[in-house]
Amino acid sequence: MSKILVIGSMNMDLVVETERYPEEGETIIGGKFQQIPGGKGANQALAAAKLGDDVEFIGACGDDSFAPKLKSSLKNGGAKIDHIFEIEGVSTGVAVITVDKNGNNRIIVSPGANYELLPEKIEKIRDKIIEAEIILLQLEIPLNTIERIVEIASRNKTKIILDPAPAQKLSDSILEKIDYLLPNEGELDLLLKDVKAKSRSEKIKILLKKGIENIIVTEGEKGINYYGQEKEIHLDTLKVKAVDTTAAGDVFAGAFAASLIAENELKKALEFAVQAAAYSVTKIGAQSSIPDKKELTEFLAERSK
């Protein structure tokens, strides 16, 4: 069975480069257009596979022309794809992405088949959840599916990494079972939307008390901050010229999982994830920006000169 099991979304990203975003009711002429495999789940699986070993992705696609391309991207990157559910009469997930000249992006996701990955399908791959060392999850599939996966994994001592994006409020019954929570600043705020906590420190304490073992807050150019029951770690990001930030968080999550399996050392895993995410923002697109081990090594060697 796979050491890392990623369960989540797969999308075809329709990417348009633009000098600026249009105002309401305005039409502007964009630049280059590309179709690039994406989806938070598939991105993370590909990053974990290219930067680690023994990774399987489980998701759902439609019966359209996008599905084979998404499967090929994952398989070519080394991820196992034997348990992707194909849903008849439903479109594969699509993300419409605009990227401005500074590398910032705006994204609209049409979930399509991703929302057909329902709890009854999870029962069919239950053994894979039980036997994996790490489960990597995001929130582009139904929340009741996430709840079921977390319940099975927690009961069987499978470590759970959750990237709580797209941002939404989660129940304590989910949060208390998470081993590693990877929110950005906005997602951290939304997780505690109904709680009267003003400072970052207060929010972190509340989440740790809920039972989360490790919290890693990603903050873009400001780096990352790790919070555990007994220690905190800050790591600066690598200074690079950002071209497109689309999948940086996904690359971070996949690389973190891969290093955690390989090294089983928290700080090394965090450093590795920061390095991989920095590489990704220097390239256009989601899966097209994910490095393999050789590319990342060359990138870091060039920076050290």
Side-chain angles (χ1 to χ4, degrees):
M1 303 296 285
S2 298
K3 291 180 180 177
I4 300 175
L5 182 63
V6 185
I7 306 177
S9 59
M10 54 194 305
N11 297 326
M12 181 60 79
D13 292 350
L14 309 179
V15 184
V16 178
E17 297 176 30
T18 179
E19 281 290 306
R20 64 176 179 85
Y21 298 119
E23 302 295 331
E24 184 176 347
E26 180 186 20
T27 299
I28 64 173
I29 301 299
K32 187 177 181 181
F33 169 74
Q34 298 181 73
Q35 295 183 27
I36 303 174
K40 293 191 71 62
N43 294 345
Q44 292 178 8
L46 187 62
K50 292 180 77 172
L51 293 166
D53 189 31
D54 204 1
V55 177
E56 180 165 5
F57 173 74
I58 292 174
C61 63
D63 54 357
D64 52 25
S65 61
F66 288 150
K69 296 175 184 176
L70 298 183
K71 289 178 182 179
S72 292
S73 180
L74 285 162
K75 187 174 182 179
N76 292 341
K80 300 172 189 172
I81 57 167
D82 295 334
H83 294 85
I84 293 176
F85 297 93
E86 186 171 302
I87 313 298
E88 291 185 12
V90 177
S91 67
T92 297
V94 170
V96 179
I97 304 174
T98 52
V99 181
D100 72 11
K101 61 183 178 182
N102 297 315
N104 298 313
N105 60 64
R106 295 186 182 185
I107 305 173
I108 301 173
V109 175
S110 174
N114 292 314
Y115 273 20
E116 299 294 325
L117 190 60
L118 299 170
E120 53 263 34
K121 289 187 171 59
I122 296 307
E123 295 303 322
K124 297 178 181 179
I125 51 94
R126 180 189 182 93
D127 288 348
K128 291 189 170 293
I129 296 172
I130 292 170
E131 295 182 26
E133 291 186 33
I134 287 178
I135 297 284
L136 181 51
L137 301 169
Q138 335 71 37
L139 301 178
E140 286 186 336
I141 58 177
L143 203 53
N144 58 348
T145 300
I146 296 291
E147 289 172 349
R148 187 67 187 124
I149 296 166
V150 167
E151 181 184 346
I152 295 168
S154 175
R155 189 182 300 158
N156 291 280
K157 310 300 182 186
T158 302
K159 289 196 178 300
I160 304 165
I161 301 176
L162 174 64
D163 175 3
Q168 55 185 292
K169 190 167 176 16
L170 296 173
S171 67
D172 287 355
S173 63
I174 290 178
L175 292 174
E176 68 187 10
K177 298 178 178 73
I178 302 304
D179 295 285
Y180 295 89
L181 186 71
L182 275 58
N184 62 26
E185 292 174 283
E187 290 152 6
L188 180 65
D189 290 340
L190 197 56
L191 286 169
L192 297 170
K193 187 177 181 182
D194 302 326
V195 177
K196 293 179 180 177
K198 294 181 181 178
S199 69
R200 163 77 64 84
S201 177
E202 286 178 300
K203 293 172 184 174
I204 294 298
K205 285 178 182 177
I206 290 168
L207 287 172
L208 290 173
K209 282 182 180 178
K210 288 179 184 292
I212 301 169
E213 294 292 325
N214 308 273
I215 301 169
I216 302 161
V217 183
T218 55
E219 302 183 57
E221 294 180 353
K222 292 186 284 185
I224 65 107
N225 284 289
Y226 164 84
Y227 304 91
Q229 299 289 349
E230 298 180 357
K231 65 178 177 180
E232 298 181 5
I233 299 171
H234 171 78
L235 292 177
D236 290 327
T237 191
L238 304 189
K239 301 302 179 186
V240 297
K241 179 174 174 52
V243 174
D244 181 4
T245 60
T246 297
D250 299 333
V251 175
F252 181 93
F256 177 72
S259 182
L260 209 56
I261 285 286
E263 301 274 357
N264 195 27
E265 188 173 326
L266 175 66
K267 191 170 182 184
K268 278 189 178 180
L270 292 172
E271 290 170 344
F272 186 69
V274 166
Q275 292 165 351
Y279 176 99
S280 76
V281 303
T282 67
K283 309 292 180 182
I284 282 283
Q287 292 179 23
S288 56
S289 72
I290 298 172
D292 58 26
K293 294 174 188 175
K294 181 173 180 288
E295 289 168 332
L296 185 57
T297 298
E298 290 173 351
F299 167 74
L300 296 173
E302 186 64 31
R303 287 182 55 83
S304 67
K305 290 179 181 178

